[in-house]
Amino acid sequence: MGILADKRVHRVTLIEGDGIGPEVVRAVRRVVDAAGVAVLWDEQIAGGAAFRKGIASGVPAETLQSIRTNRVALKGPLATPVGDGEKSANVTLRKVFETYANVRPVRELAGVETPFSGRGIDLVIVRENVEDLYAGIEHQQTEGVAQCLKLMSRTGCEKVIHYAFALAVAEGRKSVHCATKANIMKLTEGLMKKTFEEIAPQYPGIRAQHIIIDNCAHELVRRPEQFEVIVTSNMNGDIVSDLASGLTGGLGIAPAANVGDGVAIFEAVHGTAPGMAGLDAANPAALLLSAVMMLRHLGELEAADAIDHALQVTLAEGARTADIARGDEIPMSTTDFTSAVIGNLGRRSAQRSREHRPLALPRLVRRPGQPRGATRTIGVDVFVQSDLSPAALGKSIETLIAGASFRLQMISNRGTKVYPHVADLPDLVDHFRCRLVVHDPAFAATDAEILDLVHRIGRGHVWMHIEKLRDYDGTPGFTRAQGEDAER
Ligand code: NAI
């Protein structure tokens, strides 16, 4: 009996990728096939091979269709092109399949020595993978001031937070930390914290804890063994997941999955390592551990465990590629290391292993937006470019808007109030935010009034951006500038 008895056939899109990609993909394919899982590898191209064919997105239509049909892909690293016009094939895949969760397990492996060996590090970082500053919405608003929009949605937070809890349940883990910068970015990062706190009671067996992201980084280095699952936003996750993989031995052993609605793409964290390509020296363990995650995703729990144990036995008995070999050792080639893992299939490692159950994700109800209460526009922030002093700019704006439905409440520069009544001015740049609010807070501003206001300001100043100040059922949908509350 055992894994060979289970003859469910899985079709998996296989992308060998660039640089060391073909070597590590070949190695992983050998191990998965040797473990007796019936996988029909649907070989497709992306990255360099696609760019060479003139496909600017880096991902041919056939590859997209293959992933759409198979719902599961295993991919080698893809080189990001340096020329203009060509996009990152990785970003294309992430966007097309909306892989909202980037899942990165970080676990101490016997035989891979680090300053943290013996601490029992075994955590997973679940990073939101689509939104946040990485939506790539940037504007050069003046010659000297650029902006990047940090967009976060309740739906985006819900999906990744549910995923983190469901993963904790599937892996028998007891706690989930949500790491945010909600203390500073109260509306964006705060949304993730709030959503986490709303969802947590649905998982009563799991201890849910919020942690400020900078403290999380500190604690990850100080006492990494305290963490089991960390869910966080895109940029925070990008940084702390790299930090965490450094704790246990680095890129050669760091696996990852990109999970979307019904599609999952498994890959190593590392890139193409071009200096190592073709030398039969790359460590296939990272992609092999990604394949273990893939097999669990496919319900092949027994085969996944068999490969995981074989890899651990191999490492523990001293077979190591150059990246993790000790000083006095002769490193193993990719091919020999892979053969050693295959030879160890069926052996059990002494290291503690987790029980894995299939992941049970709740069906999220799609909402076109939030339930709408009484939403009013009570003002507008108009961003202007100016070399005037704050006092001169304030007086000028007040003159220009005389007779309009708004009053100038304050002006800020890079988020700090500079007008009116400010004794100590910060360093100024040519980028001011003029906060204009309706005279009578009982009335909402109309679009016509806002356009009239912007038109008036435009007569005297260059404006480059406007933002409505909206109030949701009495709760302001905007933050106050530094110092705005001081004197009004
Ligand atoms: P990289 O991860 O390719 O290499 C950094 C260094 O890590 C290498 O020089 C090598 O010493 C080591 N390394 C990485 N993987 C290894 C392995 N399996 N075995 C042994 N040592 C390993 O990062 P780099 O140099 O920043 O990026 C190279 C290219 O890869 C770039 O074009 C980049 O855009 C792309 N890339 C692609 C990714 C993907 O497809 N998911 C992820 C990261 C980078």
Side-chain angles (χ1 to χ4, degrees), residues 20 75 77-80 90 251 267 269-273 276 282-283 323:
I20 57 171
K75 69 174 268 291
L78 306 176
T80 306
N90 286 314
L251 289 171
E267 63 179 336
V269 170
H270 64 71
T272 60
M276 214 178 246
N283 190 345
D323 57 314

Side-chain angles (χ1 to χ4, degrees), residues 408-431:
L408 178 63
Q409 179 163 300
M410 65 105 204
I411 299 177
S412 70
N413 194 279
R414 284 182 299 156
T416 299
K417 181 180 151 187
V418 293
Y419 178 87
H421 316 304
V422 176
D424 299 307
L425 287 175
D427 272 351
L428 297 171
V429 297
D430 63 347
H431 181 278

Side-chain angles (χ1 to χ4, degrees), residues 29-344:
R29 186 175 172 165
R30 277 180 64 203
V31 178
V32 173
D33 290 345
V37 194
V39 175
L40 253 173
W41 301 104
D42 179 3
E43 289 180 59
Q44 300 287 341
I45 60 161
F51 293 126
R52 283 190 291 279
K53 286 186 160 185
I55 298 160
S57 70
V59 191
E62 300 80 44
T63 303
L64 293 176
Q65 191 50 45
S66 161
I67 298 174
R68 223 173 264 129
T69 309
N70 297 331
R71 320 298 285 169
V72 177
L74 182 69
K75 69 174 268 291
L78 306 176
T80 306
V82 282
D84 294 333
E86 293 167 328
K87 295 205 165 62
S88 155
N90 286 314
V91 174
T92 302
L93 286 170
R94 194 184 318 151
K95 299 259 179 208
V96 168
F97 295 108
E98 178 109 19
T99 48
Y100 62 82
N102 181 260
V103 185
R104 290 208 198 168
V106 175
R107 184 175 46 141
E108 179 180 337
L109 293 174
V112 182
E113 266 183 28
T114 74
F116 292 88
S117 289
R119 302 274 286 266
I121 298 172
D122 180 9
L123 59 94
V124 187
I125 295 184
V126 180
R127 161 189 168 194
E128 199 289 321
N129 207 26
V130 182
E131 306 191 332
D132 192 9
L133 291 163
Y134 292 19
I137 310 172
E138 292 195 293
H139 299 95
Q140 190 73 43
Q141 294 194 319
T142 74
E143 282 80 356
V145 179
Q147 167 190 272
C148 177
L149 277 189
K150 181 175 170 80
L151 279 185
M152 290 176 64
S153 73
R154 182 176 288 275
T155 307
C157 292
E158 280 175 359
K159 290 203 295 193
V160 75
I161 289 166
H162 272 297
Y163 187 89
F165 277 109
L167 182 74
V169 172
E171 299 195 343
R173 295 176 186 269
K174 295 280 169 272
S175 79
V176 176
H177 282 81
C178 177
T180 78
K181 196 68 185 170
N183 52 329
I184 302 293
M185 287 166 273
K186 298 187 188 326
L187 297 184
T188 48
E189 291 281 310
L191 179 61
M192 178 160 261
K193 175 173 186 280
K194 196 163 152 240
T195 310
F196 177 74
E197 286 161 353
E198 283 167 12
I199 288 174
Q202 296 174 35
Y203 299 88
I206 308 285
R207 199 172 65 254
Q209 202 174 323
H210 176 260
I211 183 167
I212 301 285
I213 184 66
D214 35 337
N215 187 33
C216 180
H218 164 247
E219 287 294 323
L220 267 171
V221 176
R222 216 177 62 85
R223 234 165 34 87
E225 62 277 14
Q226 71 184 287
F227 293 105
E228 293 197 89
V229 177
I230 300 171
V231 61
T232 187
S233 56
N234 205 341
M235 184 155 137
N236 291 338
D238 194 4
I239 298 165
V240 295
S241 59
D242 264 31
L243 183 157
S245 57
L247 301 175
T248 50
L251 289 171
I253 57 163
N258 292 293
V259 182
D261 286 327
V263 168
I265 302 173
F266 297 84
E267 63 179 336
V269 170
H270 64 71
T272 60
M276 214 178 246
L279 300 179
D280 198 21
N283 190 345
L287 191 67
L288 191 55
L289 288 168
S290 311
V292 167
M293 294 172 80
M294 180 188 82
L295 293 175
R296 292 200 171 112
H297 176 81
L298 291 170
E300 296 283 357
L301 304 182
E302 216 177 315
D305 275 357
I307 295 174
D308 197 17
H309 276 276
L311 174 65
Q312 293 198 54
V313 169
T314 309
L315 290 168
E317 291 186 349
R320 286 180 274 264
T321 45
D323 57 314
I324 51 173
R326 293 174 193 163
D328 52 348
E329 280 176 6
I330 299 168
M332 265 187 145
S333 68
T334 310
T335 311
D336 289 347
F337 181 81
T338 306
S339 301
V341 174
I342 292 170
N344 284 325

